[in-house]
Structure formats: structure tokens, C-alpha cells
Amino acid sequence: MARIFITGSTDGLGLMAAQLLLRQGHTVVLHARNDTRARDARAALPDNAGVAVGDLSSIAGTRDVATRVNDLGTFDAVIHNAGVGYYGRGRVETEDGLSDVFAVNVLAPYLLTALITPPRRLVYLSSGMHHSGEATLRDPQWATRPWQGSQAYSESKFHVTALMLAVARKWPEVLCNAVDPGWVATKMGGSGATDELQLAPVTQAWLAAGGDAAALVTGRYFHHQQPRPPHPATRSLEVQDRLLKYCADLTGVELPTAVSVD
């Protein structure tokens, strides 16, 4: 059985994936943005193996989460599920002066990947909307462009898909994959979503702990357990390396160039 850490697991797809993995007999550590949500998570999943508390919209908060996760020992898998949507909202600036969509959806998984003891598997939540993202890293914080929430979200998912491919390339010992869970009626997805909710957490749980050959791959983008082609530009080494440098410059933390997994 596997030990798995899931970010953003107090509700939505993160909680659903945790419930599924616990039913399968795995050990799951949850993540909550604050103490109130941590209490809710413990109540919803009393069989959890701990809750790492920290706000992923801030660099300091993300560092705290990484420290708390490492204090709990090593993990077999980490699911980077936490995310910020865009419906009915404008640009929100974090304490670090960043767009919260970029901070939570891209920078937090980058920093957690760099700081948490590498697990055997990494799963990143992407979206079909990443196909509308662009590769230029032109004003990723939307500091000068007029805010367009759907485009900001699409670009964040483009970036996290490119991040996954970069980590898969640099860390061949770790199975790294990304998931499009579909458009489902979570708090983020909204009530008008048309895909089947119960299918949404299956692929990330399968990639985190599944034993069949189809799950033991790396550098893939999946929808409902089927590999799909990601945006072609996410495969560009130049795009990947530019993103890694940008995230390293923002955080002061470089992604380790090589890792070993016990």
C-alpha cells in the first residue's frame, strides 16, 4: 500500500481522490489552507494520516507545507491537486505581488516539487483548457494585460503541464504525469459542468497508486485513464526551461537537477 500526499484535499476532487485511495487501503495525508479547513478535512476523512496546513498562494506558506510534509516522512506519491479557478472573479494579487491563479496553480506545485523529498510518483492536475494557453510567458502575472480569467486559467494549466514534462525529463527515476479530470460540477467547475463527477478523481488516484502497466509511465497527459496529446508547445525544452528559470527566480529555489528515489 502507498503513502500519498494530496494538496487541496479539503473538498472537491482532492477530497474525492483521498476518499478513493483510502477505500483502496492506502495511507493519505491531506492538505488544508488553514486550521478551519483542516478541521473540516479531519471530520470528512477521520482515517487520514495527517493534515499539512499552509496557504499555497504565498511562497512562505508553500515552504511551510513542504517542511510539514517532509516532517511526516517520505511518500510514494504526491498529487498536486490544489487550484484556483476564475469564474466570477477578477485578478487577485497575493502577498508576494503575484496573480493567485499563477501562484497556486503553477508556482506552488513547482516549489513543492523542488522542496518535498522526491516520491516515486508525481501527479499534476491540468485541464483541457491548457490547449488555449500560450508559450511565451508574456506577463504571466497579468500585471499589464487586461484581466481575462479564462485565459489566465488556461495559461496556468499550460504551464503546469509543461512543468510536469520538465520534471519527467529531469527526474527519470520518478513517474511524472498530468491529468485532465474533465469539466465537472465541483465548486471550481461550477454547476453547469457537463462531465461525470464520479470519474473525475479516478485517473489521479490510479496514477498515484495503480499497479498496472498503463499507470507505470512517465511524461504523459491523461484524460479518464487514456493518454492524450498535450499542447505541442509544452514539449518544447526551451519553454520548459524558461518556465523553470522563471519559477526559480521568483522563489529563490531551483529544481534539483537529479534525484534518487529509495
Side-chain angles (χ1 to χ4, degrees), residues 44-254:
L45 280 181
D47 292 335
N48 72 81
V51 182
V53 180
D55 187 348
L56 298 184
S57 71
S58 81
I59 293 171
T62 304
R63 284 177 170 274
D64 287 345
V65 171
T67 297
R68 288 166 181 159
V69 171
N70 286 332
D71 286 345
L72 292 169
T74 58
F75 286 80
D76 297 294
V78 173
I79 302 177
H80 293 285
N81 167 83
V84 171
Y86 63 92
Y87 289 115
R89 63 197 296 273
R91 180 182 183 275
V92 176
E93 188 166 291
T94 72
E95 65 182 48
D96 301 304
L98 308 176
S99 159
D100 71 336
V101 172
F102 185 91
V104 176
N105 294 3
V106 186
L107 198 62
Y110 167 84
L111 192 53
L112 292 175
T113 299
L115 294 178
I116 291 175
T117 301
R120 292 182 173 86
R121 308 189 198 191
L122 287 165
V123 182
Y124 299 84
L125 266 288
S126 182
S127 166
M129 290 178 68
H130 93 276
H131 286 286
S132 299
E134 62 171 57
T136 61
L137 267 181
R138 176 179 61 94
D139 188 23
Q141 306 309 328
W142 293 78
T144 60
R145 289 183 284 172
W147 176 257
Q148 297 179 33
S150 63
Q151 185 61 26
Y153 182 81
S154 296
E155 289 180 10
S156 76
K157 293 305 182 179
F158 174 94
H159 292 141
V160 82
T161 306
L163 171 63
M164 175 278 292
L165 288 164
V167 178
R169 171 169 59 94
K170 290 178 175 292
W171 294 1
E173 299 88 351
V174 179
L175 302 181
C176 305
N177 296 285
V179 176
D180 166 20
W183 183 28
V184 292
T186 60
K187 182 171 60 178
M188 183 185 298
S191 59
T194 56
D195 290 344
E196 187 175 344
L197 180 60
Q198 293 306 312
L199 289 178
V202 171
T203 303
Q204 49 264 44
W206 172 70
L207 288 170
D212 54 308
L216 300 176
V217 297
T218 193
R220 305 288 180 84
Y221 168 79
F222 283 89
H223 176 67
H224 294 341
Q225 296 179 284
Q226 297 298 315
R228 297 279 182 88
H231 189 305
T234 62
R235 297 191 182 280
S236 163
L237 272 58
E238 179 185 356
V239 168
Q240 294 171 17
D241 288 342
R242 189 188 313 131
L243 176 64
L244 293 180
K245 183 179 186 306
Y246 182 70
C247 291
D249 288 346
L250 286 176
T251 61
V253 177
E254 292 190 3

